[in-house]
């Protein structure tokens, strides 16, 4: 076994999207090869409706997939194909935009006004950019959870892990998307196929990931690579950890345990032409997408 080195840890940065939703972005709109095949990751959470209730009104997508995971509150969605529904706490939506879709996502808080969710963008390879759009809406109750003897819990959203298979399937990047909790004081290894790019997103607790070049561990609660990364502070625990190549990730949970998403996928390694919600391979394809939007031919007939 080879431990994946920690290439970088960094805090998600506050930004605003949609009609005025305050969120934190772990990566996106910089170097698309950084986490290939994944393009962007947002953490949207808040306890004040003013921070999220404006939502994400109608907007287009082409050439990507969006993965929305709700932890608290709910998200109502609708699209140009006539689909509509509500994602509740624990639910997942995997939307393949493909050739083009217009949709909206409108968050609401729970009884205490809390809203929390994540959205990940995954790129589509050239031969699937113009595939037919589709949705996979998965209820939280249908997401398998495996529990180890030491109390480690893993929700398997997509991919296969510890004998469980996630309910989301048919995704081009062959991704593995895991929601992991490691109890206080437990050291745990998680195998990841060597061909995948991988990152973790820590959103609760404390601990560290073991680095192959620093066996004592890369402490998330201390200064790492010149950045203050303090996940002991629950108001500032949004930490991205990017891994290098290898076949396992090793984590040591601290006093409060550690909860994080562990996400990996096969890199596409194709040219990226990206503007806003549309991601193609060439500038010409990108310009065509916006011409389609202007002339009303963005939504393609489905056969």
């Amino acid at each position: 076994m080879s431990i994946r080195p920690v290439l970088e840890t960094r805090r998600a940065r506050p930004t605003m999207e949609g009609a005025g939703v305050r969120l934190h972005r772990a990566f996106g709109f910089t170097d698309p090869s950084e986490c290939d095949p994944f393009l962007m990751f947002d953490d949207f959470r808040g306890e004040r409706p003013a921070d999220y209730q404006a939502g994400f009104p109608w907007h287009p997508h082409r050439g990507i997939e969006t993965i929305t995971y709700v932890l608290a509150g709910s998200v109502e969605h609708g699209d140009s194909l006539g689909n509509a529904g509500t994602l509740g706490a624990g639910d997942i939506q995997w939307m393949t935009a493909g050739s083009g879709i217009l949709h909206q996502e409108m968050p609401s808080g729970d009884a205490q006004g809390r809203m929390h969710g994540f959205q990940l963008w995954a790129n589509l390879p050239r031969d699937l950019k113009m595939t037919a759009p589709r949705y996979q809406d998965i209820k939280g109750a249908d997401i398998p959870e495996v529990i180890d003897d030491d109390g480690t819990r893993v929700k398997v959203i997509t991919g296969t892990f510890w004998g469980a298979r996630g309910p989301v399937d048919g995704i081009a990047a062959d991704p593995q998307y895991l929601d992991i909790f490691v109890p206080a004081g437990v050291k745990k290894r998680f195998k990841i196929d060597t061909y995948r790019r991988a990152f973790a997103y820590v959103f609760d607790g404390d601990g560290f990931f073991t680095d192959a070049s620093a066996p004592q561990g890369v402490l998330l609660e201390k200064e790492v690579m010149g950045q203050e990364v303090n996940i002991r502070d629950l108001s500032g625990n949004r930490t991205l950890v990017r891994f290098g190549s290898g076949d396992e990730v090793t984590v040591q949970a601290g006093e409060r345990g550690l909860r994080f998403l562990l996400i990996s996928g096969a890199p596409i390694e194709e040219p990226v032409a990206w503007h806003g919600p549309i991601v193609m391979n060439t500038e010409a394809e990108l310009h065509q997408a916006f011409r389609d939007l202007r002339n009303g031919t963005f939504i393609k007939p489905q056969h």
Side-chain angles (χ1 to χ4, degrees):
M1 289 290 187
S2 59
I3 298 174
R4 286 182 176 244
V6 175
L7 298 178
E8 178 188 18
T9 64
R10 67 171 181 252
R11 292 281 293 278
R13 296 182 176 181
T15 188
M16 189 173 289
E17 282 292 352
V21 177
R22 296 181 183 275
L23 51 81
H24 284 72
R25 179 158 294 153
F27 63 86
F29 292 104
T30 51
D31 180 2
S33 68
E34 183 180 69
C35 292
D36 182 16
F38 307 111
L39 297 165
M40 191 178 78
F41 184 90
D42 285 343
D43 179 344
F44 52 97
R45 69 173 96 172
E47 297 184 355
R48 300 189 313 144
D51 289 342
Y52 56 76
Q53 64 185 3
F56 307 90
W58 293 97
H59 59 280
H61 283 296
R62 176 179 285 180
I64 64 170
E65 301 180 285
T66 66
I67 302 95
T68 306
Y69 182 22
V70 178
L71 294 184
S74 62
V75 176
E76 292 187 19
H77 65 89
D79 70 32
S80 53
L81 302 178
N83 299 304
T86 301
L87 300 176
D91 295 349
I92 284 275
Q93 181 187 87
W94 201 294
M95 184 192 75
T96 302
S99 61
I101 201 165
L102 300 172
H103 78 153
Q104 65 172 352
E105 302 155 299
M106 306 303 289
S108 298
D110 61 13
Q112 288 76 44
R114 298 170 303 182
M115 173 68 216
H116 189 190
F118 307 110
Q119 188 167 91
L120 175 69
W121 287 18
N123 199 6
L124 282 169
R126 187 189 309 272
D127 59 350
L128 292 176
K129 287 288 188 189
M130 299 298 285
T131 192
R134 70 165 179 155
Y135 282 90
Q136 296 183 70
D137 285 349
I138 309 294
K139 292 297 183 184
D142 296 327
I143 298 173
E145 182 177 54
V146 286
I147 304 175
D148 207 1
D149 293 341
D150 58 14
T152 298
R153 301 195 306 267
V154 181
K155 293 183 179 180
V156 185
I157 293 165
T158 187
T160 301
F161 191 78
W162 287 354
R165 176 174 288 279
V168 179
D169 62 8
I171 306 302
D174 186 27
Q176 188 177 63
Y177 191 132
L178 310 174
D179 177 354
I180 298 174
F181 172 74
V182 180
V186 171
K187 184 176 184 179
K188 205 71 179 172
R189 293 180 174 182
F190 300 98
K191 182 174 173 55
I192 301 175
D193 291 335
T194 55
Y195 69 87
R196 300 174 187 268
R197 296 262 177 86
F199 70 89
Y201 184 76
V202 178
F203 61 98
D204 196 5
D206 64 305
F208 63 82
F209 291 87
T210 300
D211 191 310
S213 61
Q216 72 276 14
V218 175
L219 295 174
L220 295 181
E221 67 268 24
K222 294 186 178 179
E223 187 172 321
V224 179
M225 297 182 68
Q227 299 183 49
E228 187 66 24
V229 183
N230 187 347
I231 65 166
R232 291 186 183 280
D233 176 6
L234 281 175
S235 67
N237 61 359
R238 305 168 173 92
T239 304
L240 173 73
V241 183
R242 289 200 304 120
F243 300 105
S245 59
D247 53 20
E248 71 171 31
V249 166
T250 302
V251 61
Q252 171 72 59
E255 297 176 354
R256 296 188 292 109
L258 191 68
R259 190 174 179 190
F260 59 97
L261 305 178
L262 183 58
I263 299 173
S264 62
I268 295 173
E269 298 179 334
E270 292 179 352
V272 172
W274 182 1
H275 184 77
I278 297 174
V279 183
M280 305 302 290
N281 290 108
T282 68
E283 290 295 321
E285 292 168 342
L286 196 60
H287 294 324
Q288 183 61 53
F290 283 97
R291 280 196 296 272
D292 289 348
L293 271 173
R294 290 192 298 270
N295 64 27
T297 60
F298 186 78
I299 305 302
K300 304 302 180 184
Q302 303 302 312
H303 301 292

